[in-house]
Amino acid sequence: QVNETPLLPHEINPNIDPALEQIILKCLAKNPNSRFQTANELKTALNNYLSGNFTSAATVVLPTAAAAGAAAMAGAAYASSGQTKVMPSINQNQHNQGPNNANKINTAPPDKKKSPKKKIAIGIICGIIGIAIIIALLFAFGCFAKKITVPDLSEMTLEEATATIEKAGFTPGTVVYDFDNIVEKDKVCGQSPSANTEAPEGSKIDIIISKGPDSDANISVPNIVGMTSTDAQKQLEALGLKFETTQVFNDQYAVGIVCEQDPVPNSKLAKGDTVKISISKGKEEKVTMPNLVGISEGDATATLEKLGLSVTVKTGTSSTVASGQVYDQSPSSGTSLKKGDSVTIWVSTGKDQETIPDVVGLDKNTAISKLEGAGFVAVSSGTGNKVVSQSPSGGSKAEKGSKVTITLGD
């Protein structure tokens, strides 16, 4: 336990905000009743501090250490701030100056050697200051706020967008005006965060309002579909336009030919704007799903992999297909697929297995009836009317329809 009063935050960092110092002092109050009583109370104080509405009504003044058993000295307010602050404790020399020297300040350099307890106290103060700052930053960036969905403000007027933002639980942010060749003038053409994403409740949404088409947007986009990639790019560069290319399969255009463009021909763009063009990779190679039912798992897998298909193998029982062979597939045979598509085959583990009844000790007719009722074929041997043994034994498993031999005796 640290009995000495810790140094005040401003003694460690003279630049600390007085309001934040008061919150820290309340956290450090020796009397538990003088501290923040709940986390929400601390949260409210930090929120008020961040919004500039913090008041000193609920702050606590830490008592200063008494010298040589003297009574604790009362804290004093900083006249410049008008808020409750705590003066440093009066040292022993000041205490002994007497009435004639009461207003004099001891100018002797303080003892630089700190006791271990004071070092611990300084560490505690620094730690609490750090925690308070971290908490303040977390609240400032909305880390503890509930996340809600950002509304779509596309093509709204400024007034409509503002009303929508506030109704959704957000705060209108920065409004920027910019040219847009698609969205009409005075309508929203951009926003941050994006529509339908999640953002902290109460956070700001910035919007961009269209100023209409750029006066420099006088370049007519040419029709480049059907050109080679090289010719299309040269034509766009000659007009001062940039381009982005993607490779796509296309059944109509040969490899290396432009098959799509965005924006469409005759659209108006400004110099330096970008045209997106899609370059054909030719027809996408198709494969036909073969019939795999009745062949072994290994042969089926090899066949599918040779076609460039991805295979998933599952197992199950089948009353018609032998163990280890394919009894079902998806998709069905004859389906047209692309290389890389996934297919599933089901491999038989054999017929359903049933438990063989134990009929030892029963009379012949009862035993045969019980075995046949369970789906097995009873075969008897020996003389007599009582079952003395059976094979397979009772309790073991076998496929329905298989034989169970019973041996009869007296």
Side-chain angles (χ1 to χ4, degrees):
Q1 182 179 354
V2 179
N3 294 319
E4 294 187 20
T5 301
L7 291 177
L8 300 174
H10 75 267
E11 292 181 294
I12 299 171
N13 181 7
N15 297 321
I16 190 169
D17 190 322
L20 179 58
E21 183 177 47
Q22 290 188 60
I23 294 175
I24 297 170
L25 293 179
K26 188 172 179 68
C27 292
L28 290 173
K30 188 171 184 180
N31 185 348
N33 293 327
S34 300
R35 304 172 193 153
F36 293 105
Q37 298 303 301
T38 65
N40 282 335
E41 190 177 336
L42 175 58
K43 173 184 174 182
T44 300
L46 289 170
N47 281 336
N48 289 338
Y49 168 71
L50 292 171
S51 62
N53 297 322
F54 180 76
T55 61
S56 60
T59 55
V60 171
V61 178
L62 289 179
T64 56
M73 301 298 292
Y78 288 112
S80 60
S81 66
Q83 296 177 326
T84 303
K85 304 296 175 185
V86 180
M87 294 295 290
S89 59
I90 299 176
N91 62 36
Q92 185 66 39
N93 292 334
Q94 289 174 313
H95 181 72
N96 294 332
Q97 284 176 351
N100 294 330
N101 297 319
N103 295 324
K104 294 181 180 180
I105 298 177
N106 181 19
T107 59
D111 186 3
K112 294 184 180 180
K113 185 176 181 181
K114 292 184 175 68
S115 68
K117 290 183 177 180
K118 182 163 287 189
K119 291 180 180 179
I120 294 173
I122 291 173
I124 293 173
I125 288 289
C126 291
I128 292 177
I129 291 174
I131 292 171
I133 292 173
I134 291 171
I135 293 175
L137 290 173
L138 289 174
F139 277 109
F141 287 102
C143 295
F144 298 128
K146 181 176 71 174
K147 295 290 185 72
I148 55 178
T149 302
V150 176
D152 187 352
L153 308 173
S154 300
E155 300 191 31
M156 292 185 182
T157 63
L158 176 58
E159 292 74 18
E160 291 170 341
T162 301
T164 301
I165 289 170
E166 292 174 343
K167 185 177 180 180
F170 294 95
T171 302
T174 304
V175 178
V176 175
Y177 290 82
D178 199 2
F179 292 108
D180 192 282
N181 297 325
I182 299 175
V183 178
E184 65 178 283
K185 185 179 179 182
D186 296 327
K187 297 290 183 69
V188 175
C189 59
Q191 68 180 85
S192 179
S194 301
N196 302 316
T197 58
E198 298 288 317
E201 184 176 14
S203 59
K204 292 182 178 180
I205 298 180
D206 300 328
I207 59 175
I208 302 174
I209 302 294
S210 172
K211 294 198 295 184
D214 191 341
S215 57
D216 293 330
N218 52 11
I219 300 175
S220 182
V221 177
N223 184 0
I224 55 177
V225 173
M227 293 184 177
T228 65
S229 173
T230 303
D231 289 343
Q233 292 172 12
K234 286 180 179 179
Q235 185 166 345
L236 292 174
E237 289 174 337
L239 293 172
L241 299 174
K242 298 179 181 178
F243 56 87
E244 292 179 2
T245 62
T246 55
Q247 304 286 324
V248 298
F249 288 108
N250 188 279
D251 293 340
Q252 183 178 356
Y253 294 93
V255 176
I257 302 299
V258 176
C259 54
E260 295 176 9
Q261 69 177 80
D262 181 27
V264 297
N266 301 318
S267 300
K268 298 295 183 182
L269 294 180
K271 188 174 183 179
D273 284 349
T274 300
V275 177
K276 296 179 180 180
I277 57 177
S278 298
I279 310 299
S280 174
K281 295 196 292 184
K283 292 183 179 182
E284 188 168 13
E285 188 175 353
K286 300 290 183 67
V287 295
T288 301
M289 180 71 172
N291 183 9
L292 305 169
V293 174
I295 68 174
S296 68
E297 176 186 348
D299 289 344
T301 301
T303 299
L304 293 171
E305 289 177 344
K306 187 175 180 179
L307 292 173
L309 299 173
S310 176
V311 188
T312 298
V313 178
K314 296 183 179 181
T315 59
T317 60
S318 172
S319 59
T320 58
V321 177
S323 177
Q325 294 183 343
V326 177
Y327 69 89
D328 198 5
Q329 65 183 67
S330 179
S332 59
S333 60
T335 303
S336 180
L337 300 172
K338 302 187 296 290
K339 282 192 173 183
D341 282 351
S342 297
V343 298
T344 303
I345 59 174
W346 283 263
V347 177
S348 173
T349 56
K351 295 181 180 180
D352 289 336
Q353 299 278 307
E354 293 291 339
T355 301
I356 300 173
D358 186 354
V359 296
V360 174
L362 300 179
D363 63 80
K364 177 181 177 180
N365 291 336
T366 302
I368 291 174
S369 177
K370 190 170 184 179
L371 289 170
E372 290 178 346
F376 298 97
V377 176
V379 178
S380 62
S381 65
T383 59
N385 192 45
K386 185 178 181 181
V387 178
V388 294
S389 67
Q390 71 179 79
S391 178
S393 61
S396 60
K397 288 184 176 295
E399 293 180 359
K400 276 188 176 184
S402 58
K403 294 181 179 180
V404 177
T405 300
I406 56 174
T407 302
L408 302 174
D410 293 327

